[in-house]
Every structure is written in structure tokens, then in C-alpha cells.
Amino acid sequence: MLPEAAMLHDNSLMRQRRDKIKAASDAGEVAFPNDFTPTWTSADCYRWFLEPGRQNTFLAIAAGEPLNPALAPTSGSVVLPSPRVSVAGRILAINVKGKVAFLRIRDRTSPELPLLRKQDDDLREAQGLERRGSDATTFQLYFSREACPEVFDRLLKATPGAAWDGPLLDVGDIIGAHGMLFRTRTGEPSIWVVGQGDTPAMRRLTKSVRPLPDKFHGLQDKELRFRQRYVDLIVNDEAREVFRRRSQITKGVRHFLDERGYVEVETPMMHPVLGGAAARPFRSHHNALDMPLYLRIAPELYLKRLVVGGIDRVYEINRNFRNEGLSQRHNPEFTMLEFYRAYATYEDLMVEVETLIEGLARDVTGGTTVPWGKTADGSPRLIGLQAPFARVRIRDGLVQWGGLDPREIDDETVLRAKAVALGVHIDDHAPLGKVQLELFEAVAEPHLVQPTFVIDYPAVTSPLARRNDARPDYVDRFELFIGGIEISNAFSELNDSEDQYHRFLAQLEQKQKGDEETMEMDLDYIRALEYGMPPAAGCGIGIDRLTMLLTNQDSIREVILFPHMRPEHLSADVAVSEPDAPDQGAV
RNA sequence: GGGCCGGUAGCUCAGUCGGUAGAGCAGCAGACUUUUAAUCUGUUGGUCGAGGGUUCGAUUCCCUCCCGGCUCACCA
């Protein structure tokens, strides 16, 4: 039985928490209110503490109000005026200590807190105070029974005789609180929670019926982390950081391209004709039109139609779908940036790509040297992302890493023998160019850790790329490898409609030989080219893989919020429905 | 699809050379007026992934299946 299956059933912890909802309802409260407006975020609060004179322990009193005797300063405390603040968030820890209590909450600004805490530490150090030294992503609320006895007894402590004999709050609940800013004896920026008039010190806004995972170890099971990403995001700081960076990356890409005059577009994700890449598609069907459709494997042909239409600089960031195997680096749907630039060559795009990636590394990681996995001795492997990147020709790579003599590069017999010796499988019907490419990938990719543009691609493997003027069997194309994985693929675009037509024909021939990943003839695309596409170059960048690189994650599933999984209910159904099965005897 | 490893409390894990299981956290009861993985005392909680076999007895051994992780192959 899957752990999830068990969780579909109620358990004692959940029953207990549901009873607490009922206790609140019975007391006349709205169980799930939506009338609380936080006025400050946790980051707002932190920044308040960064102001001069607020680094050491102090007690805050509400500005303009008399000192509340319940908030009597401990001996030696400085008293500072504080604004009254309302904050809201999810409780990540409850710590009741006699007649005081501490809650740690998280809100939408929590990712900013580690940096703010560091700034705070720097200020404290400059004044001869101890660094707090914490990278906590939660913000602290302080309660004293004296300041808010009704809240304290009802929400945080057992109250004998109450509808529910115990604290009504649990870790995981979402609360709204009101109070003043102060620093505890240990210097922790906190809110002294205290009500004001009709404003209660604290209210529960949402009850969490399911208990959260272990507060220290978090959620470790990868399957549960991916299936229940919401829980992963609640309890695992690293997961939140990965997706914060992913958002920065896509924003950074858009900013970079927008600044250079590119126009963002959205083209069809359902294609009547398969094209733009070599891959197996997902098939669908339109009922009203009674026609087959493919989920797109690449946006390329539509984007180039737009270049024909006069959008000389165009890009799209969106999903591609490929009906192929799953792996650490492959998800059936993945996010691709493609951009096209008229009057540019693939060499121009190399500069554009290395500038983009260097800039993203700076924006997202703060530098151009990023850690990527570990070296053989266990220390972090470092990748330098400062431009320019290295460039290597496929034939040079075959010589350098494949141990081939330069004269053997065009000898298919020698290459195939080499492939067999290395245990690399290459189709018998593959032409020389494809043999070269596959052999190169086998021998060179492990060496392509530092960013490297691979160039000199054989024309047969690139049916949409422009031929090299001097050597028509080759195309003006590059692939960018970083960390041993392919990050980008780009080429000068073929805009000769007649050549394009014949290359599509060649694809059809490949298909008849049994290749399942060929493109189809796209006559409308040929027609578009016949109107004339300006000379152009285009580039694709795998956003998921780029995110892996800039977050040091070795699996694509760590950078996709909801990676593809087997359907969960197959196993859960068995476990859950068994007691009610109508014909249990007939097995 | 092949190979290797795994599934034990809500979570993180230990354990049982075959005699129906433990810890920490969470929960519950209590103590504690500045904690931050708080601490201390007591305590609840388990169809040991599912089914079958061997056995007096299976969570443990065997078989099948389900689910997952890693890995190889195809692919970006």
C-alpha cells in the first residue's frame, strides 16, 4: 500500500484537529474567516529592525500610547516606540514555555529573510553584538500570558473545562496576529503579540487538518515531495529556493530579450503537422473537426512563419511535449525558450547566448562561477559561466576525445568499428553525418563540463538549418553543452524554400526506413518561405535544464513543480476500496 | 523495457539469524516568564506495501504482484 493510500483515511491526529474546528464553530466563531488583512510582511518587519539604534535588545511600546503595565520591561531593557503591525502566515513551530510562548510563522516574503538576517548580523557585529547566525526562513511571534491571557489560554495552552481541552492551535495552522516590534533578550527580531481594543492579539484564520512532516527532517521521500509539492514547499527551504530561482530565470530571460527588441508571442501547442524537431509526439484528436492533432514537439516552424511576417525578433517560452522516455534529464513536457533574430547568424547567437547565460548566473546566483555536482574527490565541481565560452568542432572532438586520426573522420567503416568497440549503438541506415554526430556525443559529452559550443554539424541531422556556404554538407549550427548536458541548440535558418522542400522529402525517406522521429512535410511552411524569410538565426534553450544548472540540481524533476508521475489512484483504489468491494469472494 | 536498491507510527529512521516491533519529532497530560531542532516527566499511536507459500508460529524465509529511487537504453 502506498503511504498516500493510508493518508486518504482519517487518522487520530486529523480527527483531533477536526474537533478543534468544531470547537471554534460551537463557540460561535467563523471556522474559516476571510476578514483579516495583514499590514506588514515578515520582510517589512525585518527591515524595520535594520534601522539605526534597533540592533540591540529592546522593548517596544506602541508609538503615542502609554506603557502597558503588562509589558513591563525586563531589567535593563531599552524602550523604543514601535508601529502596531498585523501579520499573517502559517505556523511552522510552536514553543510554549511556561507563561510565555513563541510561534514561528512563514509568509510570502520569507525567502528574503536569510539575506535580511545576514544584514542584521552585520549591523550587530559592527556594534560589538553577537551575530545571530541563523538562516531561518520564519519570523517569530512572542506571547506572554500577562499581555493576552484569553488568547494564550485558549489557543496555546490547555484550558480545563473549555469545549476542547487543549490548545486550539497546531503547527500548520494559518494565523493572523497583531502587536508591536521588539527584540528578545537574545536579539531575535520578534513581534510582541498584544491586542488593541476590538482587535484580538491573534486569530486562527485556517485550520490545517493534516499534520505537517517532521519539523527538522522535513519531507524526504522523493515521491511524496513531487506528488505533494505543496507540502514540499511548506517544509523544505531548498525546494522553495529552487522555484524562486526558476522564476528569476524566466523573468531574466524575458527582460534580456525584451530589451533587445524581441517580441514575445504564443503559437499553437496543438499541431496538425509534425515538425520543428526530431521526436516522437503525443497524439490527440479534435472531435468536432474529426481531425488528428499532435501536441507540439517544438514551436520552430510557427516562429519562423512570424519572421516571414515581419516580426524580425521574436521569442516564445512555453511547453514542448515529447512522447519519449523519462529520465533525470527528460520530462514528457518541458519548457523551451526559442528566439529568432533576422539578419543574424548562428555566430551572432553564440554571443547572445553566452551574454544571456552569464547575466542570468549573476542575477540568480550572484556570480559567474556556479557549483555543479561533485568531483571525484567529493568537493564541489565549479563551472565558470563568464563569456566567452569555448568552441569545439565535432571532427576535432572526435580526434581529441575519440582517439581518431583526422583522416579517419570521413571513413564510415572506421567510425562504425569505433562505435562497436565503445559499445555505442548506431542505426545501420544512419548516414555518415549521423554516425559522426552520435560517436561524438558518446566520446565528448563527458568532457563538456565547462560551457562549450559544439559546431560543425552535418547537414543530414539538421533539416531546418542553413547550409555552410563553403561546405554544403555541413550546416551553420551549434549546440551548447554545460555540465555535460545539452542546454541550447541553434542555427542559421534555412530560408531557401526549394532546399527546404527537398530536405522534408529526405525526412520522409528516413521515415520509410523506419526512423520514428522524422518530421513531416509542411507545405504551408514551404509556402511561407516562398514569400521570403529574411536571413535569420534561431536558438532554443531548455529552461528546465538551465534551471538545473543554476540551482545545482541533478534531476529535472527537482526544477519542475509537478513533474510527470504515474497516476496515484491506481494503487490507492485497491487499498481504499477493498473493504467496500461488492464481490470480494470472486478473486 | 533490463539491472541494482528500497517500502516499518502522521514525519525521519532503527530493528527482528522466524516467537505479532522501538527511538526522535509531531500528538496528549504536567512543569517551566526570552525560546529558536527549547528542556524535563509521563503517555497515546502500527494490518511492518499487497497476495500466496513454507512453518506450531511470518514483519522477518520463499514466490508473485503493486509502488518508488538509482542506473542502462531512446530522447532535449
Side-chain angles (χ1 to χ4, degrees), chain A residues 51-52 90 124 206 208 252 269 291 457 512-513 544 562 584:
Chain A
E51 294 295 316
R90 186 188 295 275
R124 282 170 61 84
T206 304
S208 170
M269 316 261 292
M291 64 178 287
Y457 280 79
Q512 283 181 340
K513 286 180 185 171
D544 311 283
F562 298 100
Q584 287 180 53

Side-chain angles (χ1 to χ4, degrees), chain A residues 352-578:
Chain A
E352 202 140 61
V353 166
E354 57 195 14
T355 307
L356 169 64
I357 290 180
E358 178 179 344
L360 288 175
R362 266 185 229 286
D363 293 346
V364 173
T365 72
T368 58
T369 302
V370 300
W372 178 247
K374 303 241 189 289
T375 59
D377 65 7
S379 56
R381 178 191 290 123
L382 298 176
I383 294 182
L385 294 174
Q386 56 279 12
F389 299 165
R391 303 177 184 194
V392 60
R393 291 176 183 280
I394 286 178
R395 43 185 55 233
D396 295 341
L398 284 171
V399 171
Q400 186 178 346
W401 295 303
L404 288 163
D405 187 280
R407 286 163 303 188
E408 297 173 326
I409 302 296
D410 295 309
D411 187 332
E412 190 170 335
T413 313
V414 173
L415 296 180
R416 283 187 178 276
K418 183 82 185 173
V420 170
L422 291 169
V424 178
H425 175 74
I426 300 177
D427 273 0
D428 289 341
H429 62 260
L432 173 65
K434 189 154 187 182
V435 175
Q436 290 173 330
L437 182 58
E438 299 216 356
L439 196 54
F440 173 84
E441 287 177 352
V443 300
E445 282 189 12
H447 299 282
L448 304 177
V449 175
Q450 297 302 321
T452 307
F453 288 114
V454 175
I455 55 176
D456 227 18
Y457 280 79
V460 288
T461 61
S462 311
L464 302 169
R466 185 179 190 278
R467 292 179 195 277
N468 185 274
D469 288 335
R471 296 175 304 149
D473 288 346
Y474 289 82
V475 290
D476 291 335
R477 171 182 177 188
F478 72 77
E479 287 193 0
L480 172 62
F481 285 81
I482 309 178
I485 60 179
E486 185 189 334
I487 295 286
S488 174
N489 177 18
F491 40 80
S492 296
E493 301 298 338
L494 174 62
N495 60 349
D496 176 340
S497 58
E498 202 167 323
D499 189 2
Q500 184 67 74
Y501 177 74
H502 288 292
R503 297 233 218 145
F504 277 146
L505 282 182
Q507 286 286 298
L508 295 180
E509 282 169 27
Q510 287 287 112
K511 194 180 201 97
Q512 283 181 340
K513 286 180 185 171
D515 192 338
E516 295 184 63
E517 296 168 353
T518 58
M519 300 183 198
E520 296 180 344
M521 173 66 72
D522 190 333
L523 288 173
D524 176 70
Y525 178 66
I526 299 291
R527 178 166 61 191
L529 290 187
E530 286 168 349
Y531 280 99
M533 180 171 79
C539 175
I541 294 180
I543 295 295
D544 311 283
R545 290 182 172 182
L546 185 61
T547 305
M548 288 168 64
L549 180 72
L550 296 179
T551 57
N552 194 15
Q553 294 295 324
D554 65 358
S555 169
I556 198 167
R557 301 203 289 175
E558 295 287 352
V559 303
I560 293 175
L561 280 167
F562 298 100
H564 182 76
M565 308 281 284
R566 283 187 152 86
E568 187 177 12
H569 65 266
L570 286 180
S571 54
D573 271 353
V574 174
V576 172
S577 64
E578 200 170 34

Side-chain angles (χ1 to χ4, degrees), chain A residues 137-407:
Chain A
T137 55
T138 51
F139 182 63
Q140 178 165 283
L141 308 181
Y142 172 85
F143 298 79
S144 73
R145 186 175 185 282
E146 216 172 339
C148 52
E150 65 297 327
V151 161
F152 197 89
D153 290 345
R154 181 169 164 68
L155 297 180
L156 298 171
K157 292 279 281 186
T159 306
W164 173 261
D165 277 348
L168 281 176
L169 278 186
D170 290 291
V171 171
D173 290 354
I174 292 163
I175 54 101
H178 184 81
M180 288 160 296
L181 299 157
F182 84 114
R183 260 186 215 267
T184 64
R185 192 154 65 198
T186 58
E188 179 75 7
S190 310
I191 290 177
W192 191 307
V193 177
V194 56
Q196 177 193 31
D198 291 340
T199 308
M202 174 168 67
R203 292 167 61 201
R204 186 181 73 206
L205 304 180
T206 304
K207 185 73 196 167
S208 170
V209 177
R210 284 184 187 271
L212 288 176
D214 188 289
K215 67 180 171 188
F216 185 57
H217 299 95
L219 187 64
Q220 298 294 324
D221 186 310
K222 284 190 184 182
E223 184 197 354
L224 293 182
R225 287 186 45 230
F226 299 148
R227 284 195 195 281
Q228 302 182 35
R229 185 67 90 177
Y230 35 89
V231 179
D232 188 33
L233 291 170
I234 291 170
V235 298
N236 291 332
D237 286 344
E238 192 180 358
R240 274 194 308 282
E241 175 64 11
V242 164
F243 292 105
R244 191 180 69 86
R245 286 191 184 191
R246 182 171 177 134
S247 167
Q248 287 183 321
I249 288 166
T250 49
K251 260 188 212 146
V253 166
R254 289 194 163 98
H255 179 74
F256 179 93
L257 292 172
D258 292 345
E259 287 238 304
R260 284 161 177 76
Y262 286 83
V263 175
E264 180 171 11
V265 298
E266 288 161 283
T267 62
M269 316 261 292
M270 297 193 292
H271 291 188
V273 179
L274 194 61
R280 295 190 207 181
F282 285 94
R283 296 164 201 278
S284 187
H285 183 263
H286 191 289
N287 287 343
L289 298 176
D290 189 24
M291 64 178 287
L293 286 169
Y294 300 109
L295 269 60
R296 82 170 178 198
I297 56 173
E300 172 153 358
L301 298 183
Y302 282 100
L303 291 173
K304 286 195 283 196
R305 283 174 170 95
L306 297 176
V307 177
V308 171
I311 309 180
D312 283 356
R313 296 188 179 199
V314 65
Y315 75 97
E316 176 165 9
I317 299 176
N318 221 322
R319 231 66 63 78
N320 290 347
F321 306 87
R322 299 194 183 174
N323 205 342
E324 290 161 352
L326 287 70
S327 82
Q328 246 179 322
R329 292 169 190 178
H330 299 85
N331 195 62
E333 52 180 304
F334 61 101
T335 301
M336 179 79 103
L337 159 70
E338 286 203 9
F339 63 95
Y340 291 83
R341 179 174 151 197
Y343 315 111
T345 68
Y346 79 119
E347 291 183 301
D348 297 322
L349 293 197
M350 278 193 238
V351 175
E352 202 140 61
V353 166
E354 57 195 14
T355 307
L356 169 64
I357 290 180
E358 178 179 344
L360 288 175
R362 266 185 229 286
D363 293 346
V364 173
T365 72
T368 58
T369 302
V370 300
W372 178 247
K374 303 241 189 289
T375 59
D377 65 7
S379 56
R381 178 191 290 123
L382 298 176
I383 294 182
L385 294 174
Q386 56 279 12
F389 299 165
R391 303 177 184 194
V392 60
R393 291 176 183 280
I394 286 178
R395 43 185 55 233
D396 295 341
L398 284 171
V399 171
Q400 186 178 346
W401 295 303
L404 288 163
D405 187 280
R407 286 163 303 188

